[in-house]
Amino acid sequence: MELIVEGRGFFVGKHQGRLRVTHEHKTVTEVPLIHLDQVIVIDSGVSIPSDVVRTCVEEGIPIHFISQSGRAIAGLYSAGLTGTVLTRRAQLMAYEDARGVALARSFITGKLENQANLLRYMAKYRKETDQALYKEMMLVAIEMRDHLYELEQLTGEKIEAIRERLLSVEGRAAQRYWNTIARIIPAELEWPGRETRGAIDRFNSALNYGYGILYCQVERALTLAGLDSYGGFLHADRPGKPSLVLDLIEEFRQAVVDRTIIGLVNKHFAIEQDEDHRLTEATRKKLAEKVLERLESSELYEKKRQALRFILQSQARHLALFVRGERERYEPFVAGW
């Protein structure tokens, strides 16, 4: 269970083994600590006293702070979770050898496979109603194999030597994917194409917010696995840039966020914005609930069906095992269709 709190004047307190959210001295909701996985605080104006922070830390409940656009601001965890020095040393050393190349290639492979499978998933529901679109979507999914083959041919001893070429493959595949997605979302969204930072249209804003919610889950999984969220491979180092979060999230964007939000808009969910083109509070709450709900749904993983949240944590652990030399290969997660 997640506790999502948003709104100026809201107060998060502790009462008899529960977290209680109040506004103007009236109780809004209560959640038992024993059932709580995380707290997500959206934007500013929410008050959380130090005893609540300490209780959450002691109970292993992270507190995430994100902006109204979905940008991660901070995450509070127990200090003990960052004490896994052997894993972190191995992670940093992997950047300088073939392990870094293998990981970067795997992250992109997972992304491309999942883009292709999501197109197949969306296409099968159009087979009877729009044969031309069905065939086009299936063709694009098949054409992803060309990009995967190109990816396999790229070699290098260190990630810095081939990063730009890897990103070139990823970028061209993404363009084909999003051009196809444009065919299956409602025309009234007037979608200008995929935009990340600074997007003001409804669909991109919803996607970016959904990715922000997913970002918190990926950061948590990496932290619990003993990894450094800022020591990535595919995404280049930059102060304040959580490169490894941005690496691992690539495997899960399509199955968790894209599928959820495309499904919502095709079921006529209204993405509402205010006069400044920001998502309304009601829209943000609905998107967060649906993305987190999707994480509880299951996919086939290691020969049995597992919740996506469990799969995400397992992938982070596999990543840690690989950099420590305790796992021969790192295989990306690929969702079914």
Side-chain angles (χ1 to χ4, degrees):
M1 181 181 294
E2 292 81 21
L3 176 62
I4 303 172
V5 190
E6 176 179 8
R8 189 167 298 278
F10 281 79
F11 179 86
V12 182
K14 187 178 65 169
H15 178 71
Q16 297 180 347
R18 297 169 176 262
L19 289 192
R20 174 184 288 176
V21 180
T22 59
H23 185 253
E24 296 180 346
H25 306 292
K26 295 180 180 179
T27 299
V28 177
T29 188
E30 287 187 345
V31 180
L33 286 164
I34 195 172
H35 294 153
L36 189 59
D37 291 320
Q38 60 190 314
V39 178
I40 300 175
V41 179
I42 300 172
D43 210 47
S44 58
V46 176
S47 298
I48 304 180
S50 58
D51 65 325
V52 171
V53 173
R54 178 170 181 169
T55 297
C56 286
V57 166
E58 290 174 346
E59 296 293 331
I61 301 168
I63 304 175
H64 300 288
F65 297 84
I66 67 173
S67 71
Q68 292 181 352
S69 64
R71 180 177 60 85
I73 298 171
L76 296 181
Y77 302 88
S78 168
L81 290 176
T82 62
T84 50
V85 64
L86 294 179
T87 299
R88 288 169 180 249
R89 281 179 177 164
Q91 175 186 350
L92 296 177
M93 292 174 67
Y95 185 86
E96 300 295 336
D97 59 37
R99 288 173 295 173
V101 175
L103 285 170
R105 183 184 286 113
S106 290
F107 294 137
I108 297 182
T109 297
K111 180 176 184 176
L112 268 58
E113 293 273 18
N114 282 314
Q115 286 177 334
N117 281 355
L118 183 57
L119 291 178
R120 293 184 180 101
Y121 173 80
M122 297 288 181
K124 68 183 181 182
Y125 292 104
R126 292 162 174 80
K127 186 173 183 179
E128 302 300 327
T129 58
D130 193 335
Q131 266 284 325
L133 181 56
Y134 164 78
K135 290 179 180 178
E136 179 184 339
M137 294 177 71
M138 294 299 287
L139 179 61
V140 173
I142 292 171
E143 288 174 350
M144 285 290 184
R145 294 176 185 169
D146 296 335
H147 296 296
L148 289 167
Y149 177 77
E150 187 179 355
L151 201 61
E152 291 172 0
Q153 306 312 303
L154 297 179
T155 58
E157 296 181 0
K158 294 185 179 182
I159 182 57
E160 290 183 356
I162 67 168
R163 176 184 286 117
E164 293 304 317
R165 286 178 288 166
L166 289 172
L167 290 174
S168 173
V169 175
E170 183 270 339
R172 284 181 278 115
Q175 186 173 18
R176 288 287 285 145
Y177 169 75
W178 288 115
N179 286 345
T180 308
I181 295 299
R183 298 286 310 278
I184 63 172
I185 61 174
E188 56 265 27
L189 288 174
E190 299 179 337
W191 189 47
R194 182 71 187 113
E195 295 177 0
T196 53
R197 285 182 178 270
I200 61 173
D201 70 283
R202 289 176 290 167
F203 189 58
N204 276 316
S205 295
L207 285 172
N208 292 341
Y209 187 76
Y211 294 147
I213 297 296
L214 177 59
Y215 171 102
C216 297
Q217 317 311 308
V218 175
E219 181 187 61
R220 178 192 184 196
L222 292 171
T223 301
L224 292 175
L227 293 157
D228 186 336
S229 296
Y230 290 83
F233 301 93
L234 175 61
H235 291 84
D237 294 339
R238 196 173 69 210
K241 182 180 180 180
S243 302
L244 192 60
V245 178
L246 301 177
D247 285 355
L248 185 57
I249 202 173
E250 299 292 7
E251 297 177 24
F252 292 90
R253 291 182 190 270
Q254 299 75 37
V256 178
V257 179
D258 295 1
R259 174 170 160 172
T260 298
I261 294 178
I262 293 168
L264 282 172
V265 298
N266 280 328
K267 292 176 182 175
H268 310 292
F269 169 70
I271 302 173
E272 298 176 343
Q273 294 177 305
D274 60 21
E275 62 274 11
D276 295 318
H277 301 287
R278 293 177 301 191
L279 298 174
T280 63
E281 182 177 340
T283 295
R284 291 194 299 270
K285 183 177 181 180
K286 181 72 170 181
L287 292 174
E289 288 175 350
K290 287 298 182 181
V291 169
L292 293 170
E293 184 181 297
R294 172 62 181 152
L295 280 165
E296 301 304 327
S297 60
S298 64
E299 288 284 340
L300 187 64
Y301 181 74
E302 296 183 336
K303 299 183 180 180
K304 57 183 176 181
R305 297 197 69 82
Q306 306 277 6
L308 276 164
R309 187 184 300 281
F310 172 85
I311 296 171
L312 172 55
Q313 188 62 68
S314 294
Q315 287 297 102
R317 292 195 180 105
H318 290 176
L319 175 51
L321 290 170
F322 176 72
V323 297
R324 292 203 307 263
E326 298 172 26
R327 190 178 181 90
E328 185 176 350
R329 298 182 64 188
Y330 175 80
E331 297 286 350
F333 162 67
V334 178
W337 60 278

